[in-house]
């Protein structure tokens, strides 16, 4: 019998450690946890660099409750966001194409106007 078996409630081993870890993980994901920290690099009392770190560990449902849903709008992480970006880009290109076609039609219909503006 090793030390883990002689202390069943010990976090180092024993019968309930898997259940305890699962309970802790469930609680963290259900409630969420925030870890914050700042890193500052100074040289002779001159601040050269400041890095602010914020880490949130929560379930997706909890994150959405808190208003955090950036992954849904990032094209690199969401296929729906990528489709929306492509649709937006496609609409912009169609508008530009229509504007170019309309401008070209005006030039062919009114060549005198084009020569007058080019002289100015």
């Amino acid at each position: 019998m090793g030390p883990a078996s002689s202390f069943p409630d010990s976090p180092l081993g024993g019968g309930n450690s898997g259940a305890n870890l699962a309970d802790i993980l469930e609680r963290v994901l259900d409630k969420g946890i925030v870890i914050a920290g700042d890193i500052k690099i100074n040289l002779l009392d001159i601040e050269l660099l400041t890095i602010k770190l914020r880490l949130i560990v929560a379930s997706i449902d909890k994150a959405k409750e808190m208003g955090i849903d950036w992954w849904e709008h990032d094209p690199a992480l969401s296929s729906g966001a990528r489709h929306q970006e492509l649709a937006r880009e496609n609409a912009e290109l169609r508008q530009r194409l229509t504007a170019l076609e309309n401008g070209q039609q005006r030039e062919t219909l009114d060549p005198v106007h084009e020569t007058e503006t080019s002289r100015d």
Side-chain angles (χ1 to χ4, degrees):
M1 291 213 153
S5 61
S6 61
F7 299 104
D9 293 333
S10 171
L12 299 175
N16 294 340
S17 65
N20 289 338
L21 181 60
D23 290 342
I24 291 170
L25 185 60
E26 182 181 346
R27 190 172 297 162
V28 165
L29 292 176
D30 184 45
K31 302 291 184 186
I33 186 170
V34 176
I35 300 170
D38 296 338
I39 299 171
K40 291 184 180 184
I41 298 175
N42 296 334
L43 179 65
L44 300 174
D45 292 331
I46 299 172
E47 188 172 315
L48 298 176
L49 178 67
T50 300
I51 300 173
K52 295 186 177 215
L53 302 171
R54 305 297 180 258
L55 174 67
I56 299 175
V57 179
S59 68
I60 289 178
D61 294 333
K62 187 64 176 179
K64 285 182 178 181
E65 281 180 30
M66 294 186 291
I68 302 170
D69 62 353
W70 52 264
W71 63 87
E72 291 181 348
H73 307 290
D74 189 341
L77 300 173
S78 170
S79 62
R82 180 69 181 144
H83 291 300
Q84 289 175 353
E85 181 182 349
L86 289 174
R88 181 188 51 78
E89 185 178 346
N90 193 3
E92 288 175 7
L93 289 173
R94 286 178 188 270
Q95 288 175 350
R96 290 176 62 190
L97 180 61
T98 302
L100 287 172
E101 288 174 343
N102 289 340
Q104 194 173 31
Q105 286 176 355
R106 273 189 251 131
E107 289 175 11
T108 58
L109 294 176
D110 191 13
V112 175
H113 178 71
E114 180 62 32
T115 56
E116 288 176 1
T117 58
S118 63
R119 290 183 200 158
D120 292 340

